[in-house]
Amino acid sequence: MTETLDPVTFEVLKNAFITSVDQMGEQILRTCYSFVIYNRDFSSALHDVHGHSAAQGNQDIAVHVGTLHFTCQDVMRAFAGDMHPGDVYAINDPYAGGTHFCDVRLIRPIFADGKIIAFSQSNGHWSDVGGSVPGSFDVTARDMFREGLRITPVRLFSKGRFCADVACLIAANTRDPASIIGDIQAQAEATQVCEREILRLVAKYGRETVETGLAAVQDYVERAVRQRLAALPDGEWETVDFVDRDPSGPEGMIPIRIKMTIRGDTVTYDFTGSHPTIGSIYNSAFGATFSAVAAGMKTFFPDLPLNSGFYRAFSIVAPEGSIVDAKWPVAVTGFLMPFEKIMNAIYEMWSRIMPERAIACAFNLEYLLTGGRDGRRAEKPIYMFYDWLPGGWGGRNGRDGSNVTTACFGTGLMSQPVEGQERANPILTTEYEILTDSAGPGRWRGGAGVRKTSVMLEAEGSVISYICDRERAVVWGIEGGLPSMPHGLSLTRAGQEPEWLGSVFSDVPIGPGDTFSRPTAGGGGFGDPLERDPAKVVEDVADDYVSVERAAKDYGVVIRVIDAELCHYEVDVSATEALRAEIRGQRRGWLAADPERVAEDYRAGRLDTLDVVRRYGVLLDWDKGTLLPRSTAQFREQFAKRSAASWRDA
């Protein structure tokens, strides 16, 4: 607290600021036009007079929150000396601290007694901002000019007057201009809701008290974080995670290296050694990297509010021109792929410092985008099917991972209801279920993922794009835990055999009767799966999380099926003891097996995908069964460190 703010007033204002941001979210949910935004792909913020974040909402998604202060400050610079009550500005520029072009932010200055005292900001993911493919995610783009409309700071409301010409210019460069205009109005109104709440507080407590409160809540969080850091031992921790590939480069995964250093009450994240930007949209500008660090670290301080006070306790070293500090005009729409690698790498390092909160790798968020003309309606309007799926989080120290949960990228996201999707798009969902054997095995298994299958109905000129990762950098376990499974999409054209398209493709034609199916991985396992209580394995089999076959292969638990329909199973105790001893004696040898022989066995059908990944640590082109030698070497190296190093041989 400060000398001029008593503890009670401080606490009231702290919670009132957060509530004002939550009310922005409630306003958006009730007025937005976009189904994507309705399913909570949005966030909001309250900033102080300097643009620093003073409050976030309780369900704002992680990917946005660490970037909103950057875009607020960019707008402040652009309109310095030219801001007025009733103004609202728009920006979506990832090179100015944003994320990607689809995340469009509206910012309103809040005036009291004739001066700016704060800013409110509403950020929503627009389902399309132009570019070369529906949904604006073209994985083959190497620069921003195929990604969509870049909005540098622009005035959308001038002293309360809607600048319809500017808004229509922006909307006209998208595939759904009517929804864009509606979302602009919804977001602008949300910023006004926050303004009303702040001015209500000003009327009750006075302008100076509110301004003091905006600063005090940040100072409070900074003190709390620094005190906790100071109580930890100084040290350095390093790790690496990978993006699957550079589509324009040679075979091999793309490393993101992080060294975390704690000295006293500060922590530094150094990305030196990370790969240069790649020939795809899977690059991250600095703002998104900053947000990934903030979100990853904040996971280990769950009880504290999030604002710019938290950001003061850490610093980042990001080599310019690297995959974590991409510069204009490098493509960055797929920034979420390095984003989640950064988060999971930070989870791993903090798990070593706070083992009571340790967690293995979570699944990677994926985006499916299909667009064309809706043949169910005579006017054949453009439709935009934009979908994401939940998956599994990593096993934890003493607990299994969370099943079917939205990604760490943004736990505030909702899983989209298929009924709403089917009404808005000529696509029918035929399967949506928890995926057996998707969870990474461990003493504490990862959470389970899902599989969703859909069929195209009456549509014309439709194309499909899939934005995903961890087809090769498979979700990993720690402390002896095993990996999950590769991501990827299969397309079955009407009357033909399934075709594996994998996790990186855009602009593939798709027609009526074509079916597409994709799984999401489970979380990585925590601890040696051979140490899991066999009774828990039986429970997992009864719940369809684990098959009888993989119970034996992954956990060494031999299960007798008494009555599958009644979920009646029993452990064969003596056979389990023998099998576990056998696996302990062989598994290090499996990881040293000739990868080419493993690939040959896969192509011959003697091994399946989970055998190849979990037993042999080998990565293949999952369609053709061709060995990926460099990726395999990288994967095996990390498998040895994260998993095999913790195994007991007897």
Side-chain angles (χ1 to χ4, degrees), residues 117-357:
I117 63 166
F119 295 85
S120 56
Q121 181 169 185
S122 171
N123 174 44
H125 183 119
W126 293 1
S127 59
D128 186 275
V129 288
S132 55
V133 300
S136 312
F137 282 77
D138 184 349
V139 297
T140 65
R142 303 185 68 167
D143 56 47
M144 61 150 282
F145 304 108
R146 295 174 63 182
E147 295 186 286
L149 184 65
R150 179 188 181 193
I151 305 171
T152 54
V154 63
R155 201 187 313 258
L156 282 182
F157 288 78
S158 178
K159 300 179 182 178
R161 179 185 63 84
F162 181 45
C163 301
D165 52 347
V166 178
C168 289
L169 172 65
I170 292 171
N173 283 277
T174 75
R175 291 174 175 84
D176 190 9
S179 291
I180 297 304
I181 295 296
D183 288 337
I184 286 174
Q185 297 285 1
Q187 290 181 246
E189 180 62 27
T191 63
Q192 193 168 27
V193 166
C194 182
E195 178 187 49
R196 287 198 295 265
E197 283 300 298
I198 297 305
L199 294 182
R200 182 183 65 82
L201 294 173
V202 169
K204 182 174 183 179
Y205 294 100
R207 175 177 58 80
E208 292 184 356
T209 298
V210 172
E211 289 181 305
T212 299
L214 291 169
V217 293
Q218 298 174 63
D219 294 342
Y220 160 74
V221 172
E222 180 185 8
R223 283 197 306 274
V225 176
R226 290 190 183 278
Q227 287 172 2
R228 296 187 192 187
L229 290 173
L232 298 173
D234 287 356
E236 295 181 351
W237 298 263
E238 296 184 60
T239 192
V240 61
D241 205 350
F242 298 91
V243 171
D244 280 350
R245 73 196 85 179
D246 180 350
S248 67
E251 184 269 315
M253 297 190 294
I254 306 302
I256 298 175
R257 302 186 184 279
I258 311 178
K259 180 170 73 173
M260 183 176 76
T261 303
I262 295 178
R263 291 284 183 270
D265 64 355
T266 62
V267 57
T268 300
Y269 298 91
D270 188 346
F271 289 85
T272 299
S274 295
H275 198 278
T277 55
I278 61 177
S280 174
I281 63 174
Y282 292 2
N283 298 291
S284 176
F286 180 80
T289 295
F290 182 96
S291 189
V293 169
M297 180 175 164
K298 176 64 172 63
T299 304
F300 288 79
F301 300 86
D303 57 309
L304 295 177
L306 183 61
N307 58 40
S308 287
F310 189 88
Y311 309 151
R312 298 172 192 165
F314 68 81
S315 61
I316 295 174
V317 178
E320 185 173 335
S322 68
I323 193 172
V324 296
D325 189 21
K327 302 297 185 183
W328 181 90
V330 172
V332 295
T333 297
F335 78 95
L336 60 97
M337 302 310 161
F339 184 98
E340 291 197 353
K341 308 308 184 302
I342 295 169
M343 283 193 72
N344 279 288
I346 289 174
Y347 289 171
E348 183 185 15
M349 292 186 291
W350 276 98
S351 291
R352 300 171 192 165
I353 301 168
M354 297 182 179
E356 71 280 3
R357 300 193 61 84

Side-chain angles (χ1 to χ4, degrees), residues 389-526:
L389 294 180
W393 280 52
R396 296 163 287 175
N397 188 354
R399 291 188 179 183
D400 294 337
S402 298
N403 299 314
V404 192
T405 304
T406 49
C408 59
F409 169 88
T411 53
L413 284 174
M414 292 173 60
S415 183
Q416 298 186 39
V418 298
E419 296 84 358
Q421 292 178 328
E422 290 170 353
R423 179 169 182 170
N425 306 282
I427 294 172
L428 177 69
T429 297
T430 60
E431 178 189 40
Y432 194 1
E433 63 179 4
I434 292 177
L435 184 56
T436 303
D437 294 327
S438 58
R443 181 179 182 185
W444 305 101
R445 63 161 175 78
V450 301
R451 178 171 54 226
K452 186 174 184 178
T453 302
S454 305
V455 60
M456 180 66 65
L457 303 178
E458 305 93 336
E460 294 180 3
S462 294
V463 296
I464 185 171
S465 302
Y466 192 54
I467 313 304
C468 192
D469 208 58
R470 295 211 186 275
E471 180 183 0
R472 299 178 181 179
V474 180
V475 173
W476 35 265
I478 61 173
E479 302 294 331
L482 297 182
S484 173
M485 55 174 285
H487 277 164
L489 181 144
S490 295
L491 175 64
T492 305
R493 300 195 183 277
Q496 299 183 24
E497 292 297 313
E499 176 186 5
W500 174 262
L501 298 183
S503 63
V504 183
F505 63 87
S506 291
D507 212 22
V508 174
I510 187 171
D514 292 352
T515 298
F516 47 92
S517 181
R518 85 267 198 199
T520 56
F526 184 100

Side-chain angles (χ1 to χ4, degrees), residues 530 532-535 538 555-560 569-582 584:
L530 299 185
R532 185 169 178 81
D533 183 348
V538 170
Y555 293 94
V557 175
V558 179
I559 295 176
R560 291 193 294 262
Y569 304 92
E570 288 184 354
V571 175
D572 186 326
V573 177
S574 60
T576 294
E577 291 176 352
L579 181 57
R580 284 186 160 180
E582 179 183 342
R584 283 192 177 95

Side-chain angles (χ1 to χ4, degrees), residues 33-57:
Y33 277 57
S34 167
F35 196 60
V36 172
I37 294 180
Y38 177 75
N39 285 280
R40 301 204 69 98
D41 196 346
F42 67 80
S43 57
S44 311
L46 171 66
H47 307 278
D48 67 15
V49 69
H50 305 293
H52 303 310
S53 292
Q56 307 290 160

